[in-house]
Structures are given as C-alpha cells and as structure tokens.
Amino acid sequence: MSASTRSGGLFAYYDELLRTWTRKLSNRHQAEDIAQDSLLRVLEMESQPEQPRAYLHQTARNIAIDAYRRDGAKEQTELDALANHEATTGNPEDEVHAMQLALAIERALAELPLKCRQVFVWQRIDGYSQQEIADRLDISKNMVEKYMIRAMKHLRERLGALAPQ
C-alpha cells in the first residue's frame, strides 16, 4: 500500500478523533494536538495496522494519558476514566456502552472529594503503592486504605447498572 493511500484512509478519521477529544477534554487546542500526534505516529509506522480506526483511537488515548501524567497529574477526571477504559471492538453497541461507562466513571469520580479521587487515580491508574500515596499526601497508610475503600464503594454504587451482565 502506498503512503498516499494509507494516509488518505487515516485522514478520514481525523475529524472523528478531533470531535472525540474536544468533547473529552473540553479544549479544542489540546484535542487538535492529540489528533495530529496520533495521525503522525501511525503514519510513521512501517506498515498499516489491521484496524486503523481502533489503533488511532488507542494511540490518542495513550498520548492523552502520557500528557496527563507528564503535566503533574492535574485533576482531569476525563483522562482518569480513560485509563480504565479499553479500546472498543468496532461494534456500535460496544462503543455506546463504552461511552456510557466512561461518562459514568467521570461523573462518579467527580463526586468524590479530592484526596479520595487522588488515591484512586494514583493507585489504580498510576500504580503507586499505598505507602507512596501516603507519603505524597502526608497522611497515614490506613487513611489511604479508607479513601480507596470509599472510592471503590462509591464507584460500585454509581456504576452497578452499567456493569457487564
């Protein structure tokens, strides 16, 4: 496949990437950066991925999460939710369910107090130990455990209806 044929097919997904990330980040400039970086990374690959649309979306997710971590883990619950969300299979029903789940996670995390939300994100998404989180927040390890229990209970209550059957 020629580079122009490959790039033409990939550019067909640019508007979709841009709309998705503008909605998730509420920042068109950041969304443009993510969409452009995703396309560039895929274009620089030796061969075309089997599922270019899914690959572009996963690449965009990875770029967004990397930027989130690099920028000091600012409180952007949209990105927090993304880290727990796997790429969809292309099935429209799966995509709708995934979007509903991502939005529900985002809302549920936003309802939590800041430290409780930080504990959840740092442990479940960033992989920090309870001791590392306790040191970062200057609280006891026991308090980290309590925050995590509270966050998990809250998410279970809020997401119960969306859980896979």
Side-chain angles (χ1 to χ4, degrees):
M1 175 181 293
S2 72
S4 63
T5 303
R6 182 174 72 199
S7 65
L10 292 174
F11 285 114
Y13 302 116
Y14 178 80
D15 287 337
E16 179 182 338
L17 277 173
L18 186 57
R19 281 191 310 273
T20 298
W21 288 98
T22 299
R23 185 178 60 248
K24 288 177 187 281
L25 299 174
S26 300
N27 184 321
R28 183 161 176 100
H29 178 71
Q30 288 177 339
E32 287 171 348
D33 289 345
I34 288 172
Q36 290 167 5
D37 289 348
S38 299
L39 282 171
L40 183 61
R41 284 190 189 179
V42 175
L43 286 171
E44 290 175 341
M45 293 174 61
E46 291 288 322
S47 63
Q48 173 88 27
E50 285 186 35
Q51 298 180 350
R53 180 176 174 263
Y55 194 86
L56 276 169
H57 280 276
Q58 184 62 47
T59 300
R61 250 187 297 281
N62 292 342
I63 290 169
I65 291 168
D66 289 346
Y68 170 75
R69 289 179 178 156
R70 183 179 55 249
D71 293 341
K74 294 177 186 167
E75 286 303 315
Q76 296 177 355
T77 56
E78 296 88 355
L79 295 179
D80 299 346
L82 292 176
N84 286 330
H85 175 72
E86 298 207 5
T88 60
T89 61
N91 178 335
E93 289 177 7
D94 289 345
E95 289 184 25
V96 168
H97 185 265
M99 184 58 71
Q100 289 173 338
L101 182 59
L103 291 172
I105 291 169
E106 179 183 334
R107 283 191 299 268
L109 286 172
E111 294 170 354
L112 291 169
L114 178 60
K115 283 189 178 181
C116 191
R117 186 170 49 236
Q118 286 174 321
V119 166
F120 178 83
V121 170
W122 287 344
Q123 186 169 354
R124 290 297 175 130
I125 297 173
D126 294 335
Y128 288 111
S129 70
Q130 289 183 350
Q131 188 59 56
E132 289 170 321
I133 295 168
D135 293 342
R136 286 183 99 178
L137 293 176
D138 197 27
I139 59 176
S140 69
K141 187 176 171 186
N142 187 36
M143 196 68 216
V144 171
E145 291 172 9
K146 287 180 182 180
Y147 280 137
M148 192 63 186
I149 289 168
R150 180 177 178 184
M152 293 301 294
K153 180 180 177 193
H154 182 75
L155 288 171
R156 266 194 301 277
E157 289 171 357
R158 294 290 190 258
L159 304 177
L162 294 173
Q165 303 301 326

